[in-house]
Amino acid sequence: QVRLQQSGPGLVKPSQTLSLTCAISGDSVSSSGVTWNWIRQSPSRGLEWLGRTYYRSKLYTDYAESVKGRVTINPDTSKNQISLQMDSVTPEDTAMYFCARDDYSRGYSAGFDVWGQGTMVTVSS
Amino acid sequence: EIVLTQSPGTLSLSPGGRATLSCRASQTVPSTDLAWYQQKPGQAPRLLIHSASIRATGIPDRFSGIGSRTDFTLTISRLEPEDFAVYYCQQYCCSPRTFGQGTKIEIQ
């Protein structure tokens, strides 16, 4: 059974960097049959996809335009986890953050089938 | 960016009732690239349907999806007490992946 366990601070000061990790069990971060995604949810923005990382003979990463340049998603094969780093946060980045797996094992996406438990991040001084 | 608009915002129904949820896309979405999720308070979304009509593993057959191009529907044939929740559609054909704003099914 695949599980995603999130960790990271729940409070970040404005202008600082938000850092979260998502530890993967039951699957591999370097698997070619999945992508690993970060999504956030807030009352004002709803569910917002931030970006993803995945391997298809080499590493790929892509980001939503709304956060491109401010967000970095990295896989860590030694720890079998992914990370999210968001720079220069503001109170508008206050949200519940989720990691999720997108299953491509059938050769096409079958939706985000496994989710982390979520991390509530508040941006406040 | 593909905008997904869900309706209604809230459905007030009784257990045993039938729920019909709509998701309209601002441009064509391949039916292979549309999913539905259920979310309960304090929990992550749960995948119900992918490829517009294929139930995810372990999802009961009272949940069904249909649709194509810009119009998609999720139907819950007989509401169980555990089905009262918020439901989201999502497209994953195109970047950025986008979600609808949700439909809440509440107990009447």
Side-chain angles (χ1 to χ4, degrees):
Chain A
Q1 185 178 6
V2 180
R3 293 184 186 272
L4 304 179
Q5 181 67 39
Q6 297 179 220
S7 58
L11 181 64
V12 182
K13 288 182 167 48
S15 80
Q16 294 193 344
T17 296
L18 179 162
S19 296
L20 299 174
T21 60
C22 174
I24 302 161
S25 58
D27 201 346
S28 171
V29 70
S30 58
S31 168
S32 60
V34 298
T35 70
W36 303 100
N37 298 260
W38 283 99
I39 303 104
R40 67 181 176 183
Q41 184 175 30
S42 64
S44 61
R45 304 168 83 105
L47 285 162
E48 180 185 15
W49 177 80
L50 301 176
R52 63 179 180 171
T53 187
Y54 59 101
Y55 285 89
R56 299 288 185 270
S57 73
K58 69 174 187 177
L59 177 65
Y60 294 87
T61 309
D62 59 274
Y63 304 105
E65 284 296 325
S66 61
V67 295
K68 189 178 285 187
R70 215 163 53 92
V71 163
T72 304
I73 296 173
N74 280 320
D76 183 336
T77 55
S78 66
K79 296 181 179 179
N80 204 33
Q81 66 184 31
I82 61 169
S83 64
L84 171 73
Q85 181 174 297
M86 180 179 290
D87 299 325
S88 306
V89 296
T90 73
E92 290 190 352
D93 296 311
T94 293
M96 180 72 80
Y97 287 75
F98 296 99
C99 57
R101 185 184 81 160
D102 188 351
D103 179 13
Y104 277 83
S105 61
R106 299 172 182 79
Y108 56 88
S109 173
F112 293 3
D113 65 334
V114 182
W115 292 67
Q117 81 277 20
T119 302
M120 182 64 211
V121 177
T122 301
V123 179
S124 174
S125 54
Chain B
E1 170 174 324
I2 296 177
V3 176
L4 300 178
T5 302
Q6 293 186 240
S7 61
T10 303
L11 266 178
S12 296
L13 295 167
S14 300
R18 180 183 184 88
T20 302
L21 288 66
S22 173
C23 176
R24 180 159 291 178
S26 60
Q27 54 190 277
T28 293
V29 173
S31 57
T32 49
D33 296 337
L34 194 287
W36 290 93
Y37 299 85
Q38 176 194 70
Q39 188 177 32
K40 297 180 180 178
Q43 297 183 15
R46 173 194 180 199
L47 178 66
L48 298 175
I49 300 277
H50 67 85
S51 306
S53 62
I54 300 175
R55 280 188 298 278
T57 302
I59 301 303
D61 61 6
R62 65 179 182 272
F63 292 91
S64 63
I66 196 168
S68 64
R69 298 178 62 83
T70 60
D71 289 292
F72 298 88
T73 300
L74 174 70
T75 300
I76 310 171
S77 58
R78 297 170 311 279
L79 284 164
E80 297 287 342
E82 61 268 28
D83 299 337
F84 291 89
V86 181
Y87 293 81
Y88 296 94
C89 57
Q90 180 213 13
Q91 66 78 20
Y92 45 90
C93 74
C94 310
S95 192
R97 275 83 170 109
T98 51
F99 294 84
Q101 83 281 14
T103 291
K104 181 180 181 180
I105 302 179
E106 64 178 21
I107 299 177
Q108 186 173 44

